[in-house]
């Protein structure tokens, strides 16, 4: 049995979370939205459910988790290359002062 492509954690979310690694061109429906994956996206990463513009809040778990720094179309990968946390400078070890 194949895992579902993605899950929407809250009805107000504008992103979905990949339940498995998805390939570019893969299509599926979720909560009445038809999505086609724009580029390969690893398991656990986010896909835009709706069109997202630079400056838009990213909603996951029904809460804002960050802001878009660049646009993403539905099915587009949402990650550190096009969004930033509104709470932490970055998800990098160097941010915490760990230079190992």
């Amino acid at each position: 049995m194949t895992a579902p492509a993605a899950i929407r954690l809250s009805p107000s979310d504008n992103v979905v979370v990949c339940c498995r690694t998805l390939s570019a061109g893969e299509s599926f429906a979720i909560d009445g939205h038809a999505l086609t994956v724009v580029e390969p996206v690893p398991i656990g990463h986010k896909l835009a459910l709706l069109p997202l513009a630079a400056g838009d809040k990213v909603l996951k778990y029904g809460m804002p988790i960050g802001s878009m720094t660049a646009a993403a179309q539905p099915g587009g990968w949402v990650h550190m290359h096009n969004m930033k946390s509104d709470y932490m400078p970055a998800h990098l070890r160097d941010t915490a002062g760990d230079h190992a």
Side-chain angles (χ1 to χ4, degrees), residues 33-58:
H33 298 270
L35 292 180
T36 299
V37 180
V38 175
E39 59 194 303
V41 181
I43 185 172
H45 286 234
K46 298 172 294 298
L47 285 175
L49 181 64
L50 307 169
L52 298 172
D56 284 352
K57 294 294 181 191
V58 177

